[in-house]
């Protein structure tokens, strides 16, 4: 499936934290139910007329994108932003050692610090539809100071 998007990833709107939490739960449920989905290509058109492509071919990413599409159509800018933020959050958690104190993974799934979801809902995506780590960490530090700590989780070290 190919999506022609008239916005660059970095101009997609923020989403509500509760919607990102629902997307996380829907993706987890889809994966547990082995609800695999097809590959997707996103062609983003920038203001200058240039384009950039993002291909989702990884089976897990396709499954999660399908779950978000069923929850909030990714044919809309909000649904697409929700989907890309979920995928960017998973990417960030997989590659950023500093984030390890903000989530735990157990037999019942992952438990996320509330500030992590709120930061992912609000932080801007970059041109590659990922989170800029320094900007994300700044937003996270601001949010985690105003929220109670998540169960059994700690805030990231600087």
């Amino acid at each position: 499936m190919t999506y022609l998007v008239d916005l660059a990833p970095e101009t997609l709107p923020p989403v509500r934290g509760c919607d990102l939490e629902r997307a996380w739960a829907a993706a987890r449920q889809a994966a547990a139910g082995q609800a695999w989905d097809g590959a997707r290509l996103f062609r983003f058109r920038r203001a200058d007329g240039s384009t950039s492509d993002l291909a989702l071919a990884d089976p897990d990413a396709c499954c999660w994108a399908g779950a978000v599409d069923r929850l909030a159509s990714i044919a809309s800018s909000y649904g697409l932003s929700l989907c890309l933020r979920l995928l960017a959050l998973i990417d960030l958690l997989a590659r950023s050692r500093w984030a390890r104190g903000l989530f735990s993974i157990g037999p019942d799934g992952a438990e996320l610090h509330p500030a992590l979801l709120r930061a992912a809902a609000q932080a801007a995506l970059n041109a590659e539809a990922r989170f800029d780590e320094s900007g994300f960490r700044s937003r996270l530090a601001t949010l985690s100071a105003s929220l109670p700590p998540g169960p059994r989780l700690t805030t990231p070290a600087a």
Side-chain angles (χ1 to χ4, degrees):
M1 184 171 298
T2 301
Y3 297 84
L4 303 174
V5 185
D6 284 331
L7 299 169
E10 59 270 30
T11 64
L12 287 169
V15 299
R16 293 185 300 271
C18 61
D19 290 340
L20 188 57
E21 189 171 2
R22 280 195 287 277
W24 181 277
R28 184 172 161 258
Q29 185 177 17
Q34 299 182 0
W36 308 117
D37 215 298
R40 296 165 192 263
L41 174 70
F42 301 93
R43 174 156 289 158
F44 297 98
R45 188 178 351 203
R46 302 187 173 287
D48 66 3
S50 65
T51 61
S52 62
D53 293 338
L54 172 68
L56 293 183
D58 174 80
D60 291 325
C62 292
C63 174
W64 302 328
V68 176
D69 195 19
R70 289 184 289 278
L71 182 69
S73 172
I74 61 176
S76 72
S77 61
Y78 188 85
L80 179 57
S81 184
L82 187 61
C83 179
L84 293 180
R85 287 167 187 286
L86 174 68
L87 296 174
L89 177 59
I90 292 166
D91 173 66
L92 184 104
L93 296 179
R95 65 181 166 82
S96 302
R97 290 181 45 173
W98 60 263
R100 291 189 182 147
L102 294 168
F103 69 97
S104 65
I105 298 176
D108 294 330
E111 185 175 356
L112 304 176
H113 190 282
L116 192 59
L117 283 169
R118 290 204 179 148
Q122 298 172 7
L125 295 168
N126 65 21
E128 291 79 37
R130 291 182 165 179
F131 291 122
D132 168 71
E133 282 196 46
S134 60
F136 191 92
R137 286 181 79 171
S138 294
R139 182 167 294 281
L140 185 61
T142 301
L143 289 170
S144 62
S146 66
L147 292 173
R152 299 188 321 258
L153 303 177
T154 59
T155 56

